[in-house]
Amino acid sequence: MAIYIGEKIFIKNFGFYVDCIQNRDFFLHYADSDLLKDVTRYSRQELEVACEDFSNIIGSSSDSVVYKGTMKGGPEIAVISLCNQEEHWTAYLELYFQKEVADLARLNHENIGKLMGYCVEATPLTRMLVFDYASNGTLSEHLHCEEGCQLSWTRRMMIVIGLAKGLKYLHTEIEPPFTISELNSSAIYLTEDFLPKLVDFESWKTILTRSGNNFRSIGSEGAAMCVQPSSLEERHLDVEGNIYAFGVLLLEIVSGRPPVCKDKGVLVDWAKDYLEEPEKMALIVDPALKHFRDEDLEAIREVVAICIHLRPRDKVNMEELSRMLESKLDTTGSSELKASSLAWAELALSS
């Protein structure tokens, strides 16, 4: 249903009205709906102050910029800002933005980055997502920079189990399920206690892609068209892609190698020979690690082989993979403590 007041159109959709302005054969608009009534809305000024005039950039792409900030008297935040010009902002983009905010806001798990709120302003055109920031940087930084030595074998196993639990929650414990748009070590943030947090910083791409598909289908239907809920694409669900990416992440965590590097090429291709011969699997372990547990490594090998389809089997899910890892991995650090004690004893005997 559309209600006309002067040059404005109020379009009923998803139980709310969207305030639109006609512009040729499509409309640009500003919206504030009941869909987001339970999600905190921040002003641009609040976020600008928190992010030091948006100077503290911690990531960027052609579609978005990520800022780090600190709310007054509150937590550290990560703010994702969409790079889009007002003349290119369509009704479909607005609706998809609101759906994405609502979708992210429903996620609640200790291994998933928490959406704290959003920002919507007309001048300048502002569309932002505000996440709780895990202050220990990304998993990628810890694995591939000098800080990698901080990730002991036990910490790596704890991260593996945290990631498995987070993906199990997203895939099997909420309805509808949710998948991470681009699952890699740069999408995993670590807390001070090295608890992993999955953050979908690439969710903007799903908004732009789905909106683009709808916009191309508009054709020449004219300016005053009512956007029907049935015309909006659902969020792309790629469970199989997430499971494959999880397998690659396990290899990356154990080996300390990036998914692609100059000397070894593609990580999965390099690792296949070792995965197929258990007795050689120890050769894949990050040389920076002084100790590791053989039983843990074998469990990782089994799960990776399933994830990257080396082992033919029926369709697998994260609930099963998480159960396998939780039952077999040791996160107590007992093996490292034992190895350390033996090393001290040997040193004492030799002195």
Side-chain angles (χ1 to χ4, degrees):
M1 179 175 69
I3 301 174
Y4 296 83
I5 303 178
E7 292 185 346
K8 290 187 177 181
I9 310 172
F10 291 83
I11 295 181
K12 185 74 176 292
N13 203 345
F14 297 107
F16 59 83
Y17 286 96
V18 179
D19 176 8
C20 305
I21 299 175
Q22 297 184 62
N23 182 3
R24 297 183 183 178
D25 60 342
F26 62 92
F27 31 75
L28 303 175
H29 68 289
Y30 166 82
D32 185 17
S33 76
D34 288 341
L35 186 67
L36 307 181
K37 64 181 180 180
D38 296 324
V39 186
T40 301
R41 180 177 172 182
Y42 296 95
S43 70
R44 181 185 173 91
Q45 184 178 16
E46 283 181 280
L47 299 180
E48 191 170 15
V49 171
C51 299
E52 302 174 18
D53 296 325
F54 295 126
S55 62
N56 198 357
I57 298 174
I58 59 173
S60 64
S61 69
S62 58
D63 303 318
S64 60
V65 179
V66 184
Y67 305 98
K68 178 186 173 184
T70 304
M71 299 300 292
K72 186 176 181 180
E76 289 186 303
I77 57 172
V79 179
I80 312 175
S81 178
L82 180 63
C83 300
N84 212 301
Q85 296 179 335
E86 184 175 352
E87 59 267 25
H88 298 145
W89 191 254
T90 68
Y92 279 116
L93 270 172
E94 187 64 43
L95 293 172
Y96 278 123
F97 170 77
Q98 293 185 29
K99 285 193 68 179
E100 189 68 13
V101 172
D103 214 17
L104 291 167
R106 70 190 175 93
L107 306 181
N108 185 23
H109 188 275
E110 66 173 355
N111 296 117
I112 307 298
K114 181 64 179 174
L115 181 78
M116 297 176 59
Y118 70 104
C119 176
V120 168
E121 290 194 8
T123 307
L125 182 74
T126 302
R127 298 296 182 273
M128 295 178 174
L129 298 177
V130 182
F131 286 91
D132 188 16
Y133 180 71
S135 57
N136 211 357
T138 68
L139 177 59
S140 177
E141 290 168 347
H142 281 275
L143 287 174
H144 309 307
C145 299
E146 292 181 3
E147 290 85 356
C149 59
Q150 295 182 29
L151 292 183
S152 65
W153 181 260
T154 299
R155 276 182 176 168
R156 297 186 196 210
M157 295 304 99
M158 292 175 66
I159 290 169
V160 165
I161 288 180
L163 295 177
K165 287 180 176 179
L167 288 172
K168 178 180 71 169
Y169 166 78
L170 293 177
H171 293 184
T172 68
E173 297 178 7
I174 57 174
E175 188 60 42
F178 187 99
T179 55
I180 302 296
S181 305
E182 291 189 18
L183 179 57
N184 55 53
S185 57
S186 295
I188 299 162
Y189 279 74
L190 303 175
T191 67
E192 289 297 326
D193 297 326
F194 291 91
L195 182 75
K197 299 270 189 180
L198 285 159
V199 182
D200 196 357
F201 280 171
E202 299 300 323
S203 61
W204 285 125
K205 292 182 179 179
T206 73
I207 297 171
L208 297 170
T209 300
R210 288 180 291 166
S211 173
N213 292 341
N214 276 123
F215 184 72
R216 285 190 293 273
S217 70
I218 291 175
S220 56
E221 296 180 26
M225 60 173 294
C226 180
V227 181
Q228 297 295 333
S230 59
S231 70
L232 297 180
E233 284 186 24
E234 291 300 320
R235 198 180 198 279
H236 180 55
L237 195 64
D238 188 10
V239 172
E240 187 174 344
N242 271 192
I243 289 176
Y244 184 92
F246 178 63
V248 177
L249 272 171
L250 295 188
L251 286 176
E252 188 176 353
I253 290 168
V254 167
S255 69
R257 295 181 180 275
V260 180
C261 61
K262 290 182 179 180
D263 58 336
K264 297 296 182 181
V266 177
L267 177 60
V268 170
D269 294 338
W270 171 76
K272 278 182 180 178
D273 290 341
Y274 303 105
L275 291 168
E276 292 172 345
E277 298 185 52
E279 64 276 8
K280 293 183 178 180
M281 191 63 185
L283 297 174
I284 209 173
V285 175
D286 188 344
L289 289 167
K290 296 180 180 179
H291 312 291
F292 67 91
R293 184 171 174 267
D294 290 327
E295 294 87 347
D296 293 343
L297 190 59
E298 174 58 19
I300 294 290
R301 188 191 70 81
E302 291 177 4
V303 171
V304 170
I306 293 170
C307 291
I308 66 173
H309 316 304
L310 280 183
R311 180 178 300 174
R313 57 173 293 152
D314 295 333
K315 192 173 182 180
V316 71
N317 59 49
M318 280 307 306
E319 185 174 10
E320 181 181 353
L321 296 176
S322 181
R323 185 167 55 247
M324 289 174 63
L325 292 168
E326 289 181 67
S327 66
K328 296 180 179 181
L329 299 187
D330 178 17
T331 59
T332 64
S334 58
S335 60
E336 289 178 350
L337 182 61
K338 182 179 178 180
S340 178
S341 299
L342 288 172
W344 277 108
E346 290 174 0
L347 181 62
L349 288 172
S350 63
S351 60

